[in-house]
Amino acid sequence: MLKKDFIHNGFAHLEQLLSFEEVVELRKLYNVLLEDKKLTAGLRSDLSGNSSNTETVEKITQIMLPSRIKPQLLQKQVYTKALAWAQNLLGEDMALDFDMLINKAPFTNTETPWHQDAAYWIDLPDKRSVSCWIALDDVYEENGCMWFVPRYDNQLFKHTHSKEGGALSIAIRPKDGKPVPLKAGGCTFHDGFTLHFSKGNITDGPRRALILNYRPQEMIQLEREQGMDHTGKRKFRKSK
């Protein structure tokens, strides 16, 4: 059923990818990275677009390639389990392209606007991709669970920066969006052309997520040859 949903809609979810014990272990490493700005320098940004030196709280913290900083992450079962699902969904040649952490801090109420991940990526001849978005906290509308709308084939909408340095966004607000609440350890899967969004966090707790992105090994090699390494710079691809 999960594969059928993913192929048909461009997204699907799994109630439990990780055990509670696995989630607790990931939270420990996650929090170290979240709290140490020196350790994560160069791979860290605030997707809210906040660039004010007076702001002490990052609203939407993004840390690209956490496994480059903490290689022991790659030994965690989450990477093995997510890869197995990616290969089940799109083929045995799927491999890890990049990982990232995204945290929505408590009481920041800052949405991640509707967008497609493909807008951040170079155009590739094989467009298969799947992002596994793993909840490390219980997620629901009030703290920023994921919302999706069914995929429009491989159509790429026009994206702009709603705020310089912030996340990309599209001008329209889809009316058929569907929230996907999850317990900690659950996950969603979506492809690069699937529109998605999340509300701001209005609760008193963090909303921590680990995202693992997979695509064909040959396409990863092609990306690297063209200088694409997902280091978090806010470049984007124009729609056609």
Side-chain angles (χ1 to χ4, degrees):
M1 186 65 178
L2 188 148
K3 183 173 182 177
K4 181 179 178 180
D5 287 345
F6 179 81
I7 297 300
H8 180 70
N9 295 318
F11 70 93
H13 76 281
L14 192 64
E15 293 291 345
Q16 184 177 25
L17 177 71
L18 304 176
S19 68
F20 180 73
E21 290 74 20
E22 289 171 315
V23 169
V24 170
E25 286 301 310
L26 284 171
R27 285 175 180 171
K28 292 176 183 178
L29 280 171
Y30 193 116
N31 290 342
V32 169
L33 294 167
L34 195 61
E35 294 166 8
D36 195 332
K37 293 186 178 181
K38 289 185 178 180
L39 185 65
T40 56
L43 295 172
R44 185 185 192 112
S45 62
D46 186 345
L47 290 177
S48 73
N50 169 43
S51 59
S52 171
N53 292 327
T54 63
E55 288 278 2
T56 58
V57 176
E58 294 173 337
K59 296 177 180 179
I60 309 176
T61 303
Q62 179 190 60
I63 300 174
M64 297 299 298
L65 309 178
S67 61
R68 177 185 293 182
I69 306 167
K70 293 287 186 181
Q72 60 265 47
L73 273 169
L74 295 173
Q75 306 305 315
K76 299 296 183 183
Q77 282 295 308
V78 62
Y79 284 77
T80 303
K81 291 179 178 180
L83 174 61
W85 273 106
Q87 292 176 338
N88 175 266
L89 292 172
L90 289 177
E92 292 298 318
D93 58 341
M94 301 300 285
L96 181 67
D97 186 6
F98 65 91
D99 54 356
M100 64 178 171
L101 308 179
I102 297 183
N103 177 66
K104 290 198 171 188
F107 299 122
T108 48
N109 195 21
T110 304
E111 72 176 30
T112 302
W114 285 102
H115 69 283
Q116 297 162 290
D117 292 340
Y120 288 103
W121 306 336
I122 62 174
D123 197 9
L124 295 168
D126 187 338
K127 302 184 188 304
R128 285 177 295 151
S129 70
V130 56
S131 292
C132 181
W133 191 100
I134 302 139
L136 298 185
D137 299 288
D138 293 351
V139 294
Y140 37 92
E141 291 189 45
E142 291 77 10
N143 71 348
C145 71
M146 294 284 275
W147 289 61
F148 300 98
V149 296
R151 179 186 51 209
Y152 296 88
D153 297 320
N154 285 337
Q155 177 185 356
L156 184 63
F157 291 89
K158 181 180 179 180
H159 287 69
T160 60
H161 288 294
S162 56
K163 188 174 183 181
E164 187 60 34
L168 294 178
S169 64
I170 58 173
I172 62 173
R173 293 183 68 89
K175 296 180 180 180
D176 53 346
K178 176 184 177 182
V180 184
L182 295 167
K183 294 291 187 181
C187 70
T188 61
F189 299 93
H190 67 275
D191 80 4
F193 292 90
T194 301
L195 285 166
H196 55 287
F197 149 93
S198 62
K199 293 183 178 181
N201 183 2
I202 61 173
T203 73
D204 61 359
R207 193 231 61 184
R208 294 166 288 189
L210 169 65
I211 298 94
L212 308 179
N213 179 268
Y214 298 89
R215 69 176 72 247
Q217 182 63 58
E218 287 188 7
M219 295 301 100
I220 296 172
Q221 182 177 344
L222 184 57
E223 280 186 319
R224 301 300 182 266
E225 290 171 355
Q226 297 188 30
M228 181 64 165
D229 63 0
H230 303 285
T231 54
K233 296 178 182 179
R234 303 264 74 81
K235 296 180 180 180
F236 63 97
R237 175 158 59 101
K238 294 182 179 180
S239 59
K240 295 183 178 179

